[in-house]
Amino acid sequence: MKHPTSSIIAALALSTLGNSGCNAFTSVASNQRPSTATWMSEPSNTPATLVSQAAFVYGIDVLKADMGLEIIPEDQKPMYAIGKLEAELPLELVSGIRFSDCESVTLISQVRQDVVDATGLSSLDTIVAVRAGNDGEGNYAYYSDVRESSIQNTAQAYTEAINFAMANSLPSIELEINRLVPMMPSQEDL
C-alpha cells in the first residue's frame, strides 16, 4: 500500500507534562492535505517507530540550549502528542534538510522552504525511518529504522537511501517522521 505523501496519519502518545504552550515549530505551508488523528491511551498500542516522548522533549531542550534559547521549565511544559508523518522527498530536494545531534535524538534543525512546501517537514521533527524502492505493496528494497539514532546513523541511512534511489533511477526517498505537538487546553477546560 502506498502511503499518501505529506499526510499526518496518526497522533500518538498523549501524556501530561504541564499546562502552557510552546511555539517551537516552523510553520508548515497552508496547502497541506487533510489529516486524521487517532489517540491511543495504552502505551502497548504504540507502533515500533514512535520515538520516546521523554527523549524527544529532552532533545528539543538540548537544541534550544545550544541555540541560546530559553528552555520551558518542567512545571510549565504542555501536554504533548507525537504525530507521525510520512513524506516522499524528491531527490532534487535532499540537500534542503539539516540535522542536529541532540543527545537523545537526531532532530531536523533546518528545512528549506521548498522542502517544507513539497513534504510538510518541519524543524524539530525527527526521522524515525528512511525508505526507498516501494513495491506498491508496502515492501521496500531499502529500509532503515533510525528512531532515536545518533546523527551518524541517521545521516548514513539517509545517504544510503539516496544512493539506492539514484542507482535504481527512483525519483525520491520516503521519510517517516515523528513530530512533537504541544496540546492546547480546550475552551471548556479554561
Side-chain angles (χ1 to χ4, degrees), residues 16-159:
T16 304
L17 292 177
N19 60 9
S20 70
C22 173
N23 295 320
F25 294 97
T26 302
S27 65
V28 178
S30 62
N31 62 352
Q32 294 301 305
R33 292 176 180 85
S35 64
T36 59
T38 304
W39 298 104
M40 297 177 148
S41 58
E42 297 296 321
S44 62
N45 292 337
T46 304
T49 55
L50 186 66
V51 71
S52 155
Q53 182 172 308
F56 211 155
V57 171
Y58 180 73
I60 290 173
D61 286 349
V62 167
L63 184 60
K64 284 182 172 184
D66 286 349
M67 295 171 62
L69 299 174
E70 183 178 350
I71 297 172
I72 300 170
E74 285 299 318
D75 64 337
Q76 296 178 13
K77 289 196 177 178
M79 292 174 35
Y80 291 104
I82 294 180
K84 177 182 167 186
L85 171 78
E86 293 187 350
E88 188 171 323
L89 180 64
L91 292 182
E92 64 268 12
L93 298 178
V94 296
S95 66
I97 298 173
R98 300 287 180 261
F99 301 127
S100 288
D101 185 4
C102 298
E103 296 179 26
S104 58
V105 295
T106 298
L107 294 176
I108 296 173
S109 58
Q110 295 177 341
V111 187
R112 268 192 343 235
Q113 190 60 46
D114 58 344
V115 176
V116 172
D117 294 342
T119 66
L121 295 178
S122 179
S123 61
L124 303 183
D125 287 347
T126 186
I127 299 172
V128 295
V130 182
R131 306 182 283 248
N134 186 348
D135 67 0
E137 306 264 333
N139 301 309
Y140 294 87
Y142 178 86
Y143 175 87
S144 183
D145 180 338
V146 294
R147 175 180 32 109
E148 297 181 34
S149 290
S150 68
I151 194 169
Q152 293 85 0
N153 291 343
T154 302
Q156 179 179 348
Y158 190 72
T159 302

